[in-house]
Amino acid sequence: MQIAGIKSQPLVWILLVAVLLAIVLSFLSPFFMTVGNMTNLSKQVSIVAILAAGQAVVIISGGIDLSVGSILALSAVVIGALIQVDVDPFFATLAGLATGTLAGFVNGFVITRGNIPPFIATLGMLGIARGLALVITKGVSYQVLVPFFLYIGNAKFLGLPIPLYFVVVTFLVVSVMLHMTVFGRHVYAIGGDERVARLEGIPVDRQKVKIYMLSGFLAALAAVVMTGRLAATPPSVAQGIELQAIAAVIIGGVSFVGGRGIVLTALIGALIMAMITNGLNILGISSFYQQVLIGFVIIVAVWLDNLKSRK
Amino acid sequence: MPDPTPLVEMRHISKHFGGLQALTDAQLELYPGEVLGVLGHNGAGKSTLIKILAGAETASEGVIFVEGHEVHINDPNDARVYGIETIYQELALCGNLNAPANLYMGRELHKWGFLRKNAMKAEATKALSRLNIRIQSLDVEVESMSGGQRQAVSISRAVHFDTKILIMDEPTAALGMEESKMVMELTVELKKQGIGIIWISHDIHEVFNFTDRITILHGGKNVVTAPTKEFTQDEIVSMIISGIPVERGTSAAGG
Ligand SMILES: Nc1ncnc2c1ncn2[C@@H]1O[C@H](COP(=O)(O)OP(=O)(O)OP(=O)(O)O)[C@@H](O)[C@H]1O
Ligand SMILES: [Mg+2]
């Protein structure tokens, strides 16, 4: 009945699934619940989780962003190239973040001005950004061995790996934006009924540009974490990761139709996917099966969601 | 007799959608405290005309005056500045949001960009009860409300913000008898407050009993504009269908 009640319901469901999965895995393997494995898991999940936060906002607004993997690569390459010529890591990071945000802006601009569906516009950007990453580097991977990035990739703060803090801050900020601000309210309105939003005076086009900029920015933030983890910026990095981010959002129960769902479930969706991968790894099951299983989970998640909304 | 300065004057309004001429040199005048019926068959251009006033479409040609001053209405926010509010033919709410969110859509109360949800909910409660509308919970999505309740939310949204000109495009078309009655009672209230109301409807009986003046559109052109009671219901129907003014109507409107 209460708004909180309705909104937290999907969160409760998906949390339950995640906890169940964790319990099953910890019974199956004594290694699952070890500190080492949890650290590993949190590192594995961090990149997809950050991307999923942006993707969730895009999907709730009724759009889709297929370009996040490529934008991640392009931003990483910009960082790598600048580090290569001894630019201060702080400024290199800023340049990387600006690159991702700009790519997101281009997405939003093309979608709103060109009246091109998000699927097509971001599919185009998927090619363009990846191509640019390859052009800039001529296909070579730059090494990034400066302390700043090594710290992000390897250090711990209060016993927890640094990428985890990136995830927590991302979800905190994006959740607050989506659920407590005018920006977020307009995301839901546009996802609910774009025509109505327009009639009621919401600057729909400007809002959409902002949404894709946010997604681009978060892709670049994921690039910063990725650069730290790999200590390098291969231009082919994160290929196909957009599908994982989308899967995380969907498994989290965000409706593909738009207008419904909360951001936090995307984090749990990402966690579930990472647990499946991680669990199969420590159980020694061939990674070939992982994709099959994740494919199943996506379909089952949406199917369960349908069942829920039908009753 | 109507007040000499109209609230709204639309003059020489033309609108084409590509090759389709939806309006040709159309006129509309609205005075404070009156209900103006806009009539015409399907596709006559009624919705297009009022959408131009509401900022949902822009005219290809023509001028609009509000209280005697020429205005340029390019989007819904421009219209709102002049106190023009619209209840659209298709229920224009976001089904996935609750009543307060819909009421304040596009003009949310906020501080530094942060929504003032409690303030909006309190205001929405007041707004709805002022119109004597009962809705069990303001927290539910409007999608799960009845047609009448949703229309009530639309209406309270339209009259909540210092409205001078209220456009109602077939406000009762989707409603049952009870709810239609409620909407019309509300409208009478608003009329008493001096709000000018543009009322589009296909229900001749309703129009005949409820409007002060009518304007009939046919193929995007004005057929006649006159006090409602100068015609019989049959004459109005015949003008809507034929697009030719009946003799008596023309002379009366001319005088
Ligand atoms: N966005 C649009 N694009 C193209 N043509 C349009 C558009 N909107 C309206 N038209 C056309 O303009 C003409 C007038 O339409 P309008 O909606 O104003 O009619 P109406 O008088 O409101 O009809 P109804 O009583 O069915 O609501 C119609 O021929 C319609 O097809
Ligand atoms: Mg119409």
Side-chain angles (χ1 to χ4, degrees):
Chain A
M1 275 299 132
Q2 299 290 307
I3 222 169
I6 293 169
K7 279 190 175 163
S8 63
Q9 230 173 18
L11 187 62
V12 172
W13 271 88
I14 194 70
L15 249 176
L16 218 68
V17 173
V19 169
L20 263 173
L21 190 60
I23 291 172
V24 169
L25 284 173
S26 57
F27 270 106
L28 287 177
S29 162
F31 291 109
F32 181 75
M33 274 297 169
T34 58
V35 174
N37 191 49
M38 281 296 125
T39 307
N40 217 348
L41 188 72
S42 68
K43 280 186 186 171
Q44 279 173 2
V45 84
S46 57
I47 307 283
V48 171
I50 293 169
L51 295 176
Q55 195 70 246
V57 177
V58 173
I59 290 178
I60 291 172
S61 81
I64 184 102
D65 189 348
L66 297 175
S67 64
V68 288
S70 297
I71 293 180
L72 190 163
L74 179 60
S75 308
V77 159
V78 166
I79 293 172
L82 291 175
I83 296 289
Q84 219 59 15
V85 293
D86 287 333
V87 171
D88 187 275
F90 175 76
F91 291 111
T93 301
L94 279 189
L97 293 175
T99 304
T101 313
L102 181 67
F105 172 81
V106 173
N107 276 338
F109 190 83
V110 169
I111 290 165
T112 54
R113 292 300 163 90
N115 212 3
I116 291 171
F119 189 94
I120 309 294
T122 59
L123 186 64
M125 181 56 78
L126 180 145
I128 294 167
R130 179 72 62 185
L132 284 178
L134 288 163
V135 168
I136 291 173
T137 58
K138 300 191 179 68
V140 188
S141 172
Y142 299 131
Q143 287 217 317
V144 179
L145 293 172
V146 292
F148 178 72
F149 284 102
L150 293 179
Y151 181 81
I152 289 175
N154 301 308
K156 286 188 175 183
F157 180 71
L158 301 176
L160 297 171
I162 298 294
L164 207 56
Y165 289 96
F166 276 81
V167 174
V168 170
V169 171
T170 298
F171 274 87
L172 255 174
V173 171
V174 176
S175 292
V176 166
M177 279 174 79
L178 207 54
H179 303 302
M180 293 173 71
T181 69
V182 174
F183 170 89
R185 177 58 58 78
H186 290 180
V187 170
Y188 281 94
I190 293 170
D193 195 327
E194 186 176 329
R195 208 183 43 93
V196 171
R198 232 177 257 281
L199 283 178
E200 292 307 317
I202 291 176
V204 172
D205 289 349
R206 219 181 325 144
Q207 178 77 12
K208 279 191 184 172
V209 172
K210 285 188 208 164
I211 289 168
Y212 286 91
M213 282 171 76
L214 176 66
S215 181
F217 172 82
L218 289 175
L221 193 67
V224 173
V225 176
M226 185 70 107
T227 305
R229 276 187 54 199
L230 300 180
T233 60
S236 60
V237 74
Q239 248 174 67
I241 205 168
E242 56 279 344
L243 296 182
Q244 288 184 47
I246 294 167
V249 173
I250 298 300
I251 292 172
V254 173
S255 163
F256 219 67
V257 188
R260 291 214 163 76
I262 61 177
V263 184
L264 205 53
T265 58
L267 174 59
I268 300 164
L271 256 174
I272 289 176
M273 288 210 321
M275 276 199 282
I276 291 172
T277 312
N278 176 276
L280 293 180
N281 276 343
I282 51 178
L283 291 177
I285 297 171
S286 158
S287 64
F288 299 150
Y289 284 110
Q290 291 173 11
Q291 299 197 27
V292 177
L293 197 59
I294 288 181
F296 270 116
V297 171
I298 292 171
I299 293 170
V300 170
V302 174
W303 179 65
L304 282 177
D305 201 51
N306 284 348
L307 282 188
K308 236 190 319 146
S309 51
R310 215 174 296 157
K311 65 170 186 187
Chain B
M1 274 292 99
D3 185 302
T5 27
L7 272 175
V8 176
E9 251 185 295
M10 297 176 79
R11 282 201 214 136
H12 309 301
I13 302 288
S14 296
K15 172 76 186 177
H16 53 83
F17 295 104
L20 188 135
Q21 191 75 26
L23 290 171
T24 311
D25 198 19
Q27 321 275 344
L28 183 148
E29 279 177 15
L30 177 70
Y31 295 91
E34 77 163 349
V35 179
L36 172 72
V38 178
L39 307 180
H41 54 70
N42 293 115
K46 307 180 295 293
S47 295
T48 305
L49 184 64
I50 59 96
K51 277 183 181 164
I52 289 168
L53 183 57
E57 300 275 5
T58 43
S60 313
E61 271 169 60
V63 281
I64 301 175
F65 296 88
V66 172
E67 293 178 315
H69 302 285
E70 186 176 347
V71 297
H72 296 276
I73 298 174
N74 295 315
D75 64 49
N77 285 322
D78 290 345
R80 287 172 167 187
V81 170
Y82 301 114
I84 301 170
E85 295 282 341
T86 313
I87 295 163
Y88 288 97
Q89 185 165 7
E90 318 81 28
L91 296 167
L93 299 174
C94 275
N96 61 327
L97 299 176
N98 62 20
N102 270 288
L103 201 99
Y104 280 97
M105 194 187 302
R107 44 192 158 186
E108 291 81 4
L109 302 180
H110 64 92
K111 190 163 194 192
W112 308 110
F114 287 93
L115 293 169
R116 296 175 55 209
K117 288 186 187 172
N118 290 333
M120 286 191 276
K121 190 174 166 185
E123 282 292 314
T125 310
K126 265 195 268 168
L128 288 166
S129 64
R130 201 177 302 139
L131 298 183
N132 239 331
I133 296 157
R134 267 160 298 141
I135 289 170
Q136 301 84 342
S137 167
L138 285 183
D139 293 323
V140 302
E141 302 176 344
V142 299
E143 202 163 78
S144 61
M145 292 182 177
S146 76
Q149 289 174 327
R150 272 185 278 175
Q151 192 63 303
V153 173
S154 295
I155 294 173
S156 54
R157 173 170 69 192
V159 299
H160 188 59
F161 300 93
D162 199 17
T163 307
K164 290 197 194 108
I165 297 144
L166 179 61
I167 302 168
M168 301 172 94
D169 192 351
E170 306 197 31
T172 58
L175 302 182
M177 283 236 290
E178 277 286 299
E179 287 128 343
S180 299
K181 224 182 101 204
M182 180 195 80
V183 168
M184 289 169 63
E185 278 164 9
L186 282 177
T187 312
V188 172
E189 268 313 301
L190 299 171
K191 185 181 143 157
K192 279 188 205 147
Q193 296 169 19
I195 294 174
I197 295 160
I198 297 175
W199 180 277
I200 298 180
S201 173
H202 287 285
D203 183 336
I204 289 300
H205 187 69
E206 183 185 285
V207 166
F208 194 74
N209 291 314
F210 191 58
T211 61
D212 300 305
R213 290 190 311 130
I214 52 169
T215 183
I216 297 177
L217 291 176
H218 186 92
K221 293 180 185 147
N222 292 84
V223 176
V224 73
T225 302
T228 311
K229 293 288 150 45
E230 285 186 8
F231 304 101
T232 65
Q233 289 190 42
D234 287 343
E235 284 169 333
I236 294 173
V237 172
S238 112
M239 285 190 285
I240 290 172
I241 295 169
S242 68
I244 302 164
V246 298
E247 284 304 309
R248 198 154 37 90
T250 335
S251 58

